[in-house]
Amino acid sequence: KNKAHFEECLTGFKWIANKVLDLEKAGYNVLVSYEEAIGFCIGNIVRDKDGITAAACLGELYTTLCAKGISFSDYLEDIYKTYGYYLTKNHYFLCYDPEKMKKIFDVIRNGGNYPTKCGEFAIKNIRDLTTGYDSSQANNCLLYTSDAADDTPCVDLGGRRIIKKK
């Protein structure tokens, strides 16, 4: 709605910072970069997740809203009305047994016949960095790759992701 440009990259600020540099070289002014659950990088002063800068920006927003007589709750409600509601609930399941993890991923991969549902939720897309498969792309091929040793299937449930990280 505001003509914002969005790019996706691998999780981790080494990937995010490199994407920001590429976008700046292409002429973009990158205002914010983030991992959906871990941290935010605002502007280009500190090129890493930075709670101090984020807190300063929140304080600046608070000061501006107070001067206009607007509460955080009212401001957030206006955002919801404009862009819609978004809910995220991240969970982490830890497994330290490489053989068990391989068996789990083999079941998910199912010889290339990836699942279409996870419980009651329809799976929107699957991205498997190990096999190079990405169902969100027309040719089912990844737009980017990660380290060869990374064994990371990602399941997109339309805003809900199941991601295995080492």
Side-chain angles (χ1 to χ4, degrees):
K1 291 186 177 191
N2 291 0
K3 298 182 182 175
H5 179 78
F6 173 83
E7 296 242 354
E8 186 174 0
C9 68
L10 294 171
T11 301
F13 270 85
K14 70 179 182 180
W15 299 104
I16 294 169
N18 284 328
K19 178 59 78 174
V20 167
L21 291 173
D22 291 345
L23 289 167
E24 288 174 343
K25 286 177 189 171
Y28 288 94
N29 178 22
V30 179
L31 302 175
V32 64
S33 52
Y34 65 94
E35 292 177 326
E36 80 280 357
I38 304 299
F40 291 84
C41 175
I42 299 172
N44 61 4
I45 296 169
V46 178
R47 295 193 185 270
D48 201 347
K49 52 189 160 205
D50 177 25
I52 294 171
T53 303
C57 288
L58 187 64
E60 184 178 2
L61 174 61
Y62 177 76
T63 301
T64 301
L65 293 174
C66 283
K68 295 179 179 181
I70 302 170
S71 71
F72 268 130
S73 296
D74 289 342
Y75 186 69
L76 189 56
E77 202 56 47
D78 285 343
I79 291 171
Y80 292 150
K81 288 176 186 170
T82 302
Y83 300 101
Y85 289 86
Y86 180 78
L87 173 67
T88 183
K89 186 174 182 181
N90 293 325
H91 296 278
Y92 298 94
F93 301 95
L94 303 177
C95 178
Y96 298 102
D97 181 344
E99 283 303 310
K100 185 180 277 187
M101 290 305 301
K102 183 182 180 324
K103 288 178 184 175
I104 291 169
F105 293 143
D106 286 346
V107 169
I108 292 171
R109 289 184 178 114
N110 191 26
N113 297 310
Y114 292 91
T116 58
K117 292 186 80 170
C118 181
E120 64 185 85
F121 300 104
I123 295 175
K124 181 178 177 184
N125 295 302
I126 292 183
R127 178 183 301 139
D128 190 335
L129 301 180
T130 301
T131 65
Y133 177 83
D134 187 345
S135 65
S136 70
Q137 301 303 313
N139 61 2
N140 291 334
C141 290
L142 285 172
L143 293 177
Y144 47 79
T145 60
S146 67
D147 300 332
D150 192 5
D151 187 20
T152 312
C154 305
V155 178
D156 183 347
L157 301 171
R160 302 169 202 89
R161 287 213 172 143
I162 300 170
I163 302 173
K164 179 264 180 184
K165 297 198 285 190
K166 292 186 178 199

